[in-house]
Amino acid sequence: QVRLQESGPGLVKSSETLSLTCSVSGASVSTGSYYWIWIRQPPGKGLEWIGYISDSGATNYYPSLKSRVAMSADRSKNQFSLRLTSVTAADTAVYYCARAGVGMRLSVLDSWGQGTLVTVSS
Amino acid sequence: QSALTQPASVSGSPGQTITISCTGSSRDVGVYNYVSWYQQFPGKAPKLIIYEVSNRPSGISNRFSGSKSGNTASLTISGIQAEDEADYYCSSYTNSGTFVVFGTGTKVTVL
């Protein structure tokens, strides 16, 4: 059974960098036909796609966030990470990591972390 | 972010059948059979309940079913139960450059 767990600061100051890590067990972030995803959900709102990192390390980000986002993977720790720079209050959200299929199966997110609330303070 | 359109809320009495619509376009729902549905309880992560329009992952009740017609996908919950009260989101692969688009979400209330 695949398990994902987000970790990182719950409070980030405005204009600083948000950094989160997703630890994976039961699957490898560096092998297999899966992409590793970050999604967020502002309080009381819907789901927002942030981007993905593939098993080979290729990345793709949502266009409006592309200039501020970076994802990476640490194969030795079986983790993948999210960095979001120059945060504002609009970045306050519950951040989820998830696993998705490849290609068109990117829309099939079959495993999710429990989510972590990140609040941007002024 | 652009989103697929879902009704904000749907309600039904126990045992009834309800349907949630998810309307997209010819860039997503209308051309790809890669529509998924997720169930989310308050304070919890979403859970995949339907993938590729009508397939259920292992362990998901057969009271949940999915379908698609044109640019609109639908999730049907048959014999709705109190435990089904949650938020439901659709998603679809899209050729708009963002790869995946989510629905606006529907709150299901069991009366």
Side-chain angles (χ1 to χ4, degrees):
Chain A
Q1 184 178 1
V2 180
R3 294 190 184 275
L4 297 92
Q5 176 71 56
E6 305 88 351
S7 60
L11 189 63
V12 180
K13 291 184 178 179
S14 183
S15 79
E16 296 190 345
T17 297
L18 178 160
S19 295
L20 295 174
T21 296
C22 182
S23 299
V24 179
S25 60
S28 171
V29 301
S30 57
T31 61
S33 299
Y34 294 104
Y35 286 173
W36 303 94
I37 313 299
W38 287 100
I39 287 164
R40 68 182 183 180
Q41 186 171 34
K45 296 187 177 181
L47 301 169
E48 298 182 354
W49 181 268
I50 299 174
Y52 71 75
I53 183 167
S54 74
D55 57 348
S56 64
T59 56
N60 186 279
Y61 310 130
Y62 193 82
S64 65
L65 297 173
K66 192 174 184 178
S67 64
R68 299 194 293 129
V69 171
M71 295 181 186
S72 60
D74 185 333
R75 289 163 174 71
S76 67
K77 295 182 179 179
N78 209 33
Q79 297 175 335
F80 62 104
S81 299
L82 169 71
R83 280 173 51 90
L84 181 65
T85 63
S86 304
V87 297
T88 69
D91 296 310
T92 294
V94 175
Y95 285 76
Y96 294 101
C97 59
R99 184 181 78 168
V102 300
M104 296 179 191
R105 289 188 172 82
L106 266 173
S107 67
V108 184
L109 296 115
D110 65 356
S111 300
W112 293 68
Q114 65 184 25
T116 187
L117 174 63
V118 178
T119 302
V120 177
S121 68
S122 56
Chain B
Q1 297 193 358
S2 60
L4 306 174
T5 302
Q6 298 180 231
S9 63
V10 173
S11 63
S13 299
Q16 287 187 330
T17 295
I18 67 167
T19 299
I20 303 168
S21 61
C22 169
T23 301
S25 70
S26 57
R27 305 200 71 170
D28 37 66
V29 176
V31 292
Y32 298 109
N33 288 325
Y34 287 94
V35 176
S36 299
W37 289 91
Y38 301 88
Q39 177 190 58
Q40 185 181 34
F41 295 108
K44 300 296 186 181
K47 177 183 180 180
L48 179 68
I49 59 172
I50 295 287
Y51 67 97
E52 293 175 22
V53 175
S54 59
N55 295 304
R56 282 187 308 275
S58 175
I60 300 301
S61 170
N62 59 11
R63 296 186 298 103
F64 295 94
S65 62
S67 62
K68 190 186 85 165
S69 177
N71 292 340
T72 300
S74 298
L75 173 71
T76 298
I77 309 177
S78 303
I80 196 167
Q81 302 176 1
E83 66 197 46
D84 300 327
E85 193 163 281
D87 292 327
Y88 292 81
Y89 292 90
C90 61
S91 74
S92 174
Y93 183 81
T94 175
N95 62 24
S96 68
T98 61
F99 293 108
V100 175
V101 59
F102 285 108
T104 50
T106 299
K107 181 175 181 61
V108 168
T109 302
V110 181
L111 301 172

